[in-house]
Amino acid sequence: MPSSERRLMRSRRHRAFVAALAAGVAMLLTASPGTAADKPPARSLAELDEAFAAAARNLARRATEAGDESLAAMISDWPLPAAGERQLVVQIPSRIEKPATVDTPDEETVWNDFVAARRTRAAGLFDHAVFVAGGHDRTLTRDERAKPAVDAPPLAQRSCEALRLLHEALRDDPHHERARGAGGWVKRDDDWLWPEAAKRLDRGEAYDPAFGWMPKARLERYRSGERFDRGRWVPAADDEARPRDVKHGREFHSDHWEIVTAASLADAAVLAEKLEETRNAWRQVFGAYAFEPADLEKRLAGRGRTPVHAPHSAILCAGRGQYVSELEPLEPRVGMTNGIYWTPTKTIWFFTDEAADPPEPDPITIHHEATHQLFTEGRADAEKARQQAGERCGFWAIEAAACYMESLQATGFGWTVGGRDAGRAPAAKDRLDEEFYVPFAELCGLGRTAFQSHERLQQVDSQIAGQADFLMNGEGGRYRESFVEYLARVYQGTADPDTLARLCKRSYADLDDAYRRHLQR
């Protein structure tokens, strides 16, 4: 076939593809900002997925024909795997960046069509996020009241699902302005940043993963091998060689943490990366905790504001000995821990120990303790509660959520959280096999002191990790909204021993049975 005919055929296929996308966008736009939130979007989630899968197959074939196998693989691998009985946490870039391998007109056309297909799907996902966020006060139809679905979630609110759809939309289209605004980002030039980072950028600071945020002139001197120590500049080698105590520790500022380190700046940089990773995952897994359902609905409708939060506080000690000596006067049992969130000062503490197995601070410990901090500082009403969270009852849920976040595992698309084979969930199954089990009714009645003094606390800790996995992922995530709402009430100090049962609309005996089935399948 002459090259002119091949170009004509490619042009026709491209025009047909663009026309199909335009039709899809037009259909989506009819269900976008002007459509009432109580009306479902024009295309179902299944239809959006099917349309994108068909487009991806076509685009991957065209990329192969154009000679770019890496682009073909990228397109083929783009759809997310089925979540199954775990949660998917997606990595969201600050912008869409074209691969360096895309360097011919044919490859450019395929790439542009791929981006267009992603944006079409993102628009549909966001419409669904807006719709489900309004479900908290939707009136049931007569048929729904007469014949309620057997597997229907017990709560009307679907904040967790709304946030899942929001973040998946941003994975497809990181430039979706309404989704970015609802998710809390702000724009600077062509990049989307957290407002805390944007504030630093606006006042003339710059960021380097090795040194954190600091004024540009100071950062240049750090990059050239100098360090600022007690009012004077010294060589980096001299600074690193001098032992530090916590009071005179170095500072490392990430987007959301202020770290004081008696260890090296390199150690602080690694800690900062893991803390920010935990926050990114927590926002997708437990982010609904931070909002009342009506407030989340407003944000998705474009009526919310994006506040700038004060940084979280973290301290990194140079070894276990320093860690224990600093904290033992406050917490006599600190020697039994590898990290701690100290609620009175809202600070998480870690220490370095490269000889430990695994080396400290272990990412699992970081995920656990940072989760405590994010919950405690993630809602104003939780921070202002008159008593410590879980003091009277429900303390188990605080630890269960932190244990659940220990299961965070990196993937090609971001991370997964949960699963009966992840984190401490296998140990929870072992407890059942050993016929050890503390029923929900008993756990929900325990306050902080009673829980922490349990005679078999180690076994209880592994059990509650399994119970968190059940409540987040069991029966298709049926109780996820209920558990997140329960956590909010525990942290607010308004939970009572029967709150979880009421939120799940199941007796504790029924939940015990369902939990056993979840782990022992």
Side-chain angles (χ1 to χ4, degrees), residues 187-262:
K187 195 172 186 180
R188 292 294 184 272
D189 297 326
D190 292 329
D191 291 323
W192 289 93
L193 308 172
W194 295 114
E196 296 80 7
K199 182 179 179 180
R200 289 184 176 277
L201 199 65
D202 292 345
R203 64 190 187 205
E205 295 187 24
Y207 184 78
D208 187 309
F211 306 116
W213 284 100
M214 60 178 64
K216 292 179 181 178
R218 175 174 291 193
L219 181 58
E220 287 305 313
R221 296 189 70 167
Y222 267 65
R223 287 170 172 166
S224 66
E226 295 181 272
R227 299 291 181 268
F228 193 72
D229 178 36
R230 292 180 291 184
R232 61 192 181 93
W233 288 96
V234 298
D238 292 352
D239 179 68
E240 291 293 334
R242 189 170 68 82
R244 299 264 185 161
D245 56 22
V246 170
K247 184 177 179 180
H248 299 96
R250 305 168 182 89
E251 292 186 4
F252 188 104
H253 300 274
S254 69
D255 285 358
H256 300 100
W257 267 270
E258 181 180 89
I259 302 171
V260 174
T261 176

Side-chain angles (χ1 to χ4, degrees), residues 74-90:
M74 177 184 181
I75 294 169
S76 296
D77 294 342
W78 186 258
L80 291 169
E85 293 187 333
R86 67 189 72 229
Q87 289 179 269
L88 307 184
V89 175
V90 295

Side-chain angles (χ1 to χ4, degrees), residues 10 34 52 129 132 152 240 243 262 267 287 311 344 348 371 374 390 395 402 412 427 438 490 501:
R10 285 197 296 268
F52 183 81
V132 301
E240 291 293 334
D267 290 325
I348 39 177
T371 297
L374 290 165
F395 185 84
V438 180
V490 169

Side-chain angles (χ1 to χ4, degrees), residues 73 132 163 168 229 257 266 271 275 290 297 333 339 352 379 382-383 391 407 412 431 475-476:
V132 301
L163 288 174
E168 285 195 20
D229 178 36
W257 267 270
L271 174 60
L275 288 171
E297 181 185 14
R333 295 176 297 176
T352 57
R379 284 182 66 118
E383 285 195 272
E391 194 69 28
S407 65
R431 301 293 83 78
E475 299 182 28

